[in-house]
Amino acid sequence: MTITMQNFALTWTDLDGTPRASAVAYDRKTADQRRDELVTAKASDIEIVPVRPGQLPTPKA
């Protein structure tokens, strides 16, 4: 049986309106913690997205 870990990344919009995306992938627990940090920083449009190894999301346009 092969166990694969699911990775997650985040996309969000900064307070100044700049679209951003994670430069690293996280496990689910760490992605949730990062989302909480972004909420505290008043970021908007925060999404946690599943990614495959070696893949990262692009910022929303």
PDB file of all heavy atoms in Angstrom, residues 5-29:
ATOM      1  N   MET A   5       1.207  11.824   0.742  1.00  0.00           N
ATOM      2  CA  MET A   5       0.812  12.971   1.533  1.00  0.00           C
ATOM      3  C   MET A   5       0.241  14.034   0.600  1.00  0.00           C
ATOM      4  O   MET A   5       0.821  14.317  -0.440  1.00  0.00           O
ATOM      5  CB  MET A   5       2.025  13.534   2.265  1.00  0.00           C
ATOM      6  CG  MET A   5       1.714  14.680   3.169  1.00  0.00           C
ATOM      7  SD  MET A   5       3.199  15.141   4.057  1.00  0.00           S
ATOM      8  CE  MET A   5       3.085  16.905   3.912  1.00  0.00           C
ATOM      9  N   GLN A   6      -0.881  14.589   0.971  1.00  0.00           N
ATOM     10  CA  GLN A   6      -1.464  15.680   0.191  1.00  0.00           C
ATOM     11  C   GLN A   6      -0.823  16.986   0.611  1.00  0.00           C
ATOM     12  O   GLN A   6      -0.702  17.266   1.796  1.00  0.00           O
ATOM     13  CB  GLN A   6      -2.980  15.740   0.418  1.00  0.00           C
ATOM     14  CG  GLN A   6      -3.655  16.885  -0.310  1.00  0.00           C
ATOM     15  CD  GLN A   6      -3.580  16.763  -1.814  1.00  0.00           C
ATOM     16  OE1 GLN A   6      -4.041  15.789  -2.383  1.00  0.00           O
ATOM     17  NE2 GLN A   6      -2.980  17.733  -2.462  1.00  0.00           N
ATOM     18  N   ASN A   7      -0.384  17.758  -0.359  1.00  0.00           N
ATOM     19  CA  ASN A   7       0.186  19.075  -0.105  1.00  0.00           C
ATOM     20  C   ASN A   7      -0.830  20.153  -0.435  1.00  0.00           C
ATOM     21  O   ASN A   7      -1.693  19.969  -1.297  1.00  0.00           O
ATOM     22  CB  ASN A   7       1.446  19.286  -0.953  1.00  0.00           C
ATOM     23  CG  ASN A   7       2.554  18.359  -0.551  1.00  0.00           C
ATOM     24  OD1 ASN A   7       2.893  18.250   0.618  1.00  0.00           O
ATOM     25  ND2 ASN A   7       3.129  17.672  -1.519  1.00  0.00           N
ATOM     26  N   PHE A   8      -0.698  21.294   0.233  1.00  0.00           N
ATOM     27  CA  PHE A   8      -1.593  22.423   0.023  1.00  0.00           C
ATOM     28  C   PHE A   8      -0.784  23.703  -0.091  1.00  0.00           C
ATOM     29  O   PHE A   8       0.301  23.818   0.476  1.00  0.00           O
ATOM     30  CB  PHE A   8      -2.573  22.554   1.200  1.00  0.00           C
ATOM     31  CG  PHE A   8      -3.452  21.370   1.362  1.00  0.00           C
ATOM     32  CD1 PHE A   8      -3.083  20.314   2.174  1.00  0.00           C
ATOM     33  CD2 PHE A   8      -4.655  21.279   0.679  1.00  0.00           C
ATOM     34  CE1 PHE A   8      -3.886  19.199   2.317  1.00  0.00           C
ATOM     35  CE2 PHE A   8      -5.464  20.166   0.819  1.00  0.00           C
ATOM     36  CZ  PHE A   8      -5.081  19.127   1.638  1.00  0.00           C
ATOM     37  N   ALA A   9      -1.311  24.643  -0.833  1.00  0.00           N
ATOM     38  CA  ALA A   9      -0.723  25.972  -0.948  1.00  0.00           C
ATOM     39  C   ALA A   9      -1.859  26.978  -0.778  1.00  0.00           C
ATOM     40  O   ALA A   9      -3.033  26.599  -0.725  1.00  0.00           O
ATOM     41  CB  ALA A   9      -0.039  26.141  -2.295  1.00  0.00           C
ATOM     42  N   LEU A  10      -1.508  28.235  -0.677  1.00  0.00           N
ATOM     43  CA  LEU A  10      -2.523  29.264  -0.486  1.00  0.00           C
ATOM     44  C   LEU A  10      -2.416  30.338  -1.552  1.00  0.00           C
ATOM     45  O   LEU A  10      -1.331  30.633  -2.050  1.00  0.00           O
ATOM     46  CB  LEU A  10      -2.360  29.933   0.888  1.00  0.00           C
ATOM     47  CG  LEU A  10      -2.684  29.041   2.077  1.00  0.00           C
ATOM     48  CD1 LEU A  10      -1.446  28.436   2.650  1.00  0.00           C
ATOM     49  CD2 LEU A  10      -3.440  29.800   3.120  1.00  0.00           C
ATOM     50  N   THR A  11      -3.568  30.907  -1.895  1.00  0.00           N
ATOM     51  CA  THR A  11      -3.623  32.119  -2.687  1.00  0.00           C
ATOM     52  C   THR A  11      -4.411  33.129  -1.872  1.00  0.00           C
ATOM     53  O   THR A  11      -5.283  32.761  -1.081  1.00  0.00           O
ATOM     54  CB  THR A  11      -4.303  31.902  -4.051  1.00  0.00           C
ATOM     55  OG1 THR A  11      -5.638  31.446  -3.851  1.00  0.00           O
ATOM     56  CG2 THR A  11      -3.539  30.890  -4.899  1.00  0.00           C
ATOM     57  N   TRP A  12      -4.083  34.416  -2.038  1.00  0.00           N
ATOM     58  CA  TRP A  12      -4.763  35.467  -1.292  1.00  0.00           C
ATOM     59  C   TRP A  12      -4.492  36.809  -1.948  1.00  0.00           C
ATOM     60  O   TRP A  12      -3.683  36.912  -2.860  1.00  0.00           O
ATOM     61  CB  TRP A  12      -4.322  35.481   0.167  1.00  0.00           C
ATOM     62  CG  TRP A  12      -2.914  35.931   0.401  1.00  0.00           C
ATOM     63  CD1 TRP A  12      -2.489  37.194   0.708  1.00  0.00           C
ATOM     64  CD2 TRP A  12      -1.732  35.135   0.348  1.00  0.00           C
ATOM     65  NE1 TRP A  12      -1.120  37.227   0.856  1.00  0.00           N
ATOM     66  CE2 TRP A  12      -0.628  35.966   0.636  1.00  0.00           C
ATOM     67  CE3 TRP A  12      -1.480  33.794   0.076  1.00  0.00           C
ATOM     68  CZ2 TRP A  12       0.679  35.501   0.648  1.00  0.00           C
ATOM     69  CZ3 TRP A  12      -0.173  33.344   0.097  1.00  0.00           C
ATOM     70  CH2 TRP A  12       0.887  34.185   0.384  1.00  0.00           C
ATOM     71  N   THR A  13      -5.177  37.825  -1.467  1.00  0.00           N
ATOM     72  CA  THR A  13      -4.945  39.189  -1.908  1.00  0.00           C
ATOM     73  C   THR A  13      -4.491  39.992  -0.701  1.00  0.00           C
ATOM     74  O   THR A  13      -5.147  39.981   0.341  1.00  0.00           O
ATOM     75  CB  THR A  13      -6.226  39.799  -2.511  1.00  0.00           C
ATOM     76  OG1 THR A  13      -6.654  38.977  -3.599  1.00  0.00           O
ATOM     77  CG2 THR A  13      -5.978  41.212  -3.008  1.00  0.00           C
ATOM     78  N   ASP A  14      -3.349  40.687  -0.866  1.00  0.00           N
ATOM     79  CA  ASP A  14      -2.822  41.529   0.204  1.00  0.00           C
ATOM     80  C   ASP A  14      -3.773  42.681   0.508  1.00  0.00           C
ATOM     81  O   ASP A  14      -4.635  43.024  -0.297  1.00  0.00           O
ATOM     82  CB  ASP A  14      -1.486  42.145  -0.218  1.00  0.00           C
ATOM     83  CG  ASP A  14      -0.306  41.243   0.073  1.00  0.00           C
ATOM     84  OD1 ASP A  14      -0.492  40.215   0.734  1.00  0.00           O
ATOM     85  OD2 ASP A  14       0.806  41.589  -0.365  1.00  0.00           O
ATOM     86  N   LEU A  15      -3.536  43.310   1.629  1.00  0.00           N
ATOM     87  CA  LEU A  15      -4.310  44.468   2.045  1.00  0.00           C
ATOM     88  C   LEU A  15      -4.270  45.580   0.995  1.00  0.00           C
ATOM     89  O   LEU A  15      -5.240  46.298   0.806  1.00  0.00           O
ATOM     90  CB  LEU A  15      -3.776  44.979   3.386  1.00  0.00           C
ATOM     91  CG  LEU A  15      -4.659  45.916   4.188  1.00  0.00           C
ATOM     92  CD1 LEU A  15      -6.035  45.324   4.433  1.00  0.00           C
ATOM     93  CD2 LEU A  15      -3.996  46.255   5.511  1.00  0.00           C
ATOM     94  N   ASP A  16      -3.155  45.687   0.263  1.00  0.00           N
ATOM     95  CA  ASP A  16      -3.038  46.724  -0.772  1.00  0.00           C
ATOM     96  C   ASP A  16      -3.596  46.291  -2.127  1.00  0.00           C
ATOM     97  O   ASP A  16      -3.470  47.006  -3.113  1.00  0.00           O
ATOM     98  CB  ASP A  16      -1.590  47.191  -0.909  1.00  0.00           C
ATOM     99  CG  ASP A  16      -0.656  46.109  -1.442  1.00  0.00           C
ATOM    100  OD1 ASP A  16      -1.110  44.980  -1.703  1.00  0.00           O
ATOM    101  OD2 ASP A  16       0.545  46.388  -1.591  1.00  0.00           O
ATOM    102  N   GLY A  17      -4.184  45.089  -2.203  1.00  0.00           N
ATOM    103  CA  GLY A  17      -4.818  44.613  -3.431  1.00  0.00           C
ATOM    104  C   GLY A  17      -3.942  43.784  -4.341  1.00  0.00           C
ATOM    105  O   GLY A  17      -4.348  43.425  -5.438  1.00  0.00           O
ATOM    106  N   THR A  18      -2.744  43.440  -3.904  1.00  0.00           N
ATOM    107  CA  THR A  18      -1.824  42.640  -4.714  1.00  0.00           C
ATOM    108  C   THR A  18      -2.135  41.146  -4.563  1.00  0.00           C
ATOM    109  O   THR A  18      -2.126  40.634  -3.452  1.00  0.00           O
ATOM    110  CB  THR A  18      -0.365  42.894  -4.286  1.00  0.00           C
ATOM    111  OG1 THR A  18      -0.093  44.293  -4.375  1.00  0.00           O
ATOM    112  CG2 THR A  18       0.603  42.123  -5.164  1.00  0.00           C
ATOM    113  N   PRO A  19      -2.398  40.440  -5.677  1.00  0.00           N
ATOM    114  CA  PRO A  19      -2.626  38.988  -5.600  1.00  0.00           C
ATOM    115  C   PRO A  19      -1.326  38.275  -5.230  1.00  0.00           C
ATOM    116  O   PRO A  19      -0.260  38.619  -5.742  1.00  0.00           O
ATOM    117  CB  PRO A  19      -3.055  38.607  -7.010  1.00  0.00           C
ATOM    118  CG  PRO A  19      -3.383  39.876  -7.700  1.00  0.00           C
ATOM    119  CD  PRO A  19      -2.596  40.948  -7.025  1.00  0.00           C
ATOM    120  N   ARG A  20      -1.423  37.298  -4.351  1.00  0.00           N
ATOM    121  CA  ARG A  20      -0.253  36.548  -3.880  1.00  0.00           C
ATOM    122  C   ARG A  20      -0.534  35.045  -3.930  1.00  0.00           C
ATOM    123  O   ARG A  20      -1.684  34.621  -3.960  1.00  0.00           O
ATOM    124  CB  ARG A  20       0.084  36.922  -2.436  1.00  0.00           C
ATOM    125  CG  ARG A  20       0.325  38.378  -2.185  1.00  0.00           C
ATOM    126  CD  ARG A  20       1.675  38.776  -2.667  1.00  0.00           C
ATOM    127  NE  ARG A  20       1.899  40.181  -2.339  1.00  0.00           N
ATOM    128  CZ  ARG A  20       2.971  40.837  -2.658  1.00  0.00           C
ATOM    129  NH1 ARG A  20       3.939  40.238  -3.300  1.00  0.00           N
ATOM    130  NH2 ARG A  20       3.112  42.104  -2.350  1.00  0.00           N
ATOM    131  N   ALA A  21       0.556  34.270  -3.888  1.00  0.00           N
ATOM    132  CA  ALA A  21       0.450  32.809  -3.811  1.00  0.00           C
ATOM    133  C   ALA A  21       1.626  32.285  -2.993  1.00  0.00           C
ATOM    134  O   ALA A  21       2.698  32.894  -2.960  1.00  0.00           O
ATOM    135  CB  ALA A  21       0.461  32.189  -5.197  1.00  0.00           C
ATOM    136  N   SER A  22       1.428  31.160  -2.347  1.00  0.00           N
ATOM    137  CA  SER A  22       2.476  30.523  -1.546  1.00  0.00           C
ATOM    138  C   SER A  22       3.697  30.208  -2.396  1.00  0.00           C
ATOM    139  O   SER A  22       3.576  29.814  -3.549  1.00  0.00           O
ATOM    140  CB  SER A  22       1.984  29.201  -0.964  1.00  0.00           C
ATOM    141  OG  SER A  22       0.881  29.383  -0.145  1.00  0.00           O
ATOM    142  N   ALA A  23       4.858  30.341  -1.791  1.00  0.00           N
ATOM    143  CA  ALA A  23       6.109  29.934  -2.432  1.00  0.00           C
ATOM    144  C   ALA A  23       6.516  28.544  -1.967  1.00  0.00           C
ATOM    145  O   ALA A  23       7.509  28.002  -2.441  1.00  0.00           O
ATOM    146  CB  ALA A  23       7.211  30.933  -2.119  1.00  0.00           C
ATOM    147  N   VAL A  24       5.756  27.984  -1.035  1.00  0.00           N
ATOM    148  CA  VAL A  24       6.011  26.646  -0.503  1.00  0.00           C
ATOM    149  C   VAL A  24       4.697  25.896  -0.379  1.00  0.00           C
ATOM    150  O   VAL A  24       3.622  26.494  -0.375  1.00  0.00           O
ATOM    151  CB  VAL A  24       6.703  26.690   0.885  1.00  0.00           C
ATOM    152  CG1 VAL A  24       8.053  27.374   0.787  1.00  0.00           C
ATOM    153  CG2 VAL A  24       5.845  27.398   1.902  1.00  0.00           C
ATOM    154  N   ALA A  25       4.794  24.588  -0.270  1.00  0.00           N
ATOM    155  CA  ALA A  25       3.616  23.756  -0.028  1.00  0.00           C
ATOM    156  C   ALA A  25       3.593  23.353   1.440  1.00  0.00           C
ATOM    157  O   ALA A  25       4.641  23.257   2.083  1.00  0.00           O
ATOM    158  CB  ALA A  25       3.648  22.522  -0.919  1.00  0.00           C
ATOM    159  N   TYR A  26       2.391  23.145   1.964  1.00  0.00           N
ATOM    160  CA  TYR A  26       2.197  22.835   3.379  1.00  0.00           C
ATOM    161  C   TYR A  26       1.395  21.547   3.534  1.00  0.00           C
ATOM    162  O   TYR A  26       0.663  21.150   2.625  1.00  0.00           O
ATOM    163  CB  TYR A  26       1.371  23.944   4.045  1.00  0.00           C
ATOM    164  CG  TYR A  26       1.943  25.322   3.956  1.00  0.00           C
ATOM    165  CD1 TYR A  26       1.500  26.217   2.979  1.00  0.00           C
ATOM    166  CD2 TYR A  26       2.897  25.772   4.861  1.00  0.00           C
ATOM    167  CE1 TYR A  26       2.006  27.514   2.910  1.00  0.00           C
ATOM    168  CE2 TYR A  26       3.402  27.063   4.795  1.00  0.00           C
ATOM    169  CZ  TYR A  26       2.950  27.924   3.819  1.00  0.00           C
ATOM    170  OH  TYR A  26       3.450  29.196   3.748  1.00  0.00           O
ATOM    171  N   ASP A  27       1.481  20.938   4.722  1.00  0.00           N
ATOM    172  CA  ASP A  27       0.507  19.911   5.071  1.00  0.00           C
ATOM    173  C   ASP A  27      -0.773  20.661   5.476  1.00  0.00           C
ATOM    174  O   ASP A  27      -0.777  21.887   5.589  1.00  0.00           O
ATOM    175  CB  ASP A  27       1.014  18.979   6.167  1.00  0.00           C
ATOM    176  CG  ASP A  27       1.317  19.685   7.487  1.00  0.00           C
ATOM    177  OD1 ASP A  27       0.793  20.792   7.743  1.00  0.00           O
ATOM    178  OD2 ASP A  27       2.088  19.130   8.282  1.00  0.00           O
ATOM    179  N   ARG A  28      -1.867  19.957   5.669  1.00  0.00           N
ATOM    180  CA  ARG A  28      -3.144  20.628   5.919  1.00  0.00           C
ATOM    181  C   ARG A  28      -3.122  21.459   7.206  1.00  0.00           C
ATOM    182  O   ARG A  28      -3.606  22.590   7.225  1.00  0.00           O
ATOM    183  CB  ARG A  28      -4.297  19.605   5.970  1.00  0.00           C
ATOM    184  CG  ARG A  28      -5.658  20.236   6.122  1.00  0.00           C
ATOM    185  CD  ARG A  28      -5.938  21.124   4.926  1.00  0.00           C
ATOM    186  NE  ARG A  28      -7.020  22.046   5.184  1.00  0.00           N
ATOM    187  CZ  ARG A  28      -7.909  22.403   4.279  1.00  0.00           C
ATOM    188  NH1 ARG A  28      -7.857  21.908   3.058  1.00  0.00           N
ATOM    189  NH2 ARG A  28      -8.838  23.272   4.564  1.00  0.00           N
ATOM    190  N   LYS A  29      -2.575  20.912   8.267  1.00  0.00           N
ATOM    191  CA  LYS A  29      -2.557  21.629   9.544  1.00  0.00           C
ATOM    192  C   LYS A  29      -1.776  22.947   9.421  1.00  0.00           C
ATOM    193  O   LYS A  29      -2.213  23.992   9.895  1.00  0.00           O
ATOM    194  CB  LYS A  29      -1.945  20.749  10.632  1.00  0.00           C
ATOM    195  CG  LYS A  29      -1.925  21.396  11.988  1.00  0.00           C
ATOM    196  CD  LYS A  29      -1.335  20.471  13.037  1.00  0.00           C
ATOM    197  CE  LYS A  29      -1.258  21.169  14.387  1.00  0.00           C
ATOM    198  NZ  LYS A  29      -0.681  20.318  15.416  1.00  0.00           N
TER     199      LYS A  29
END
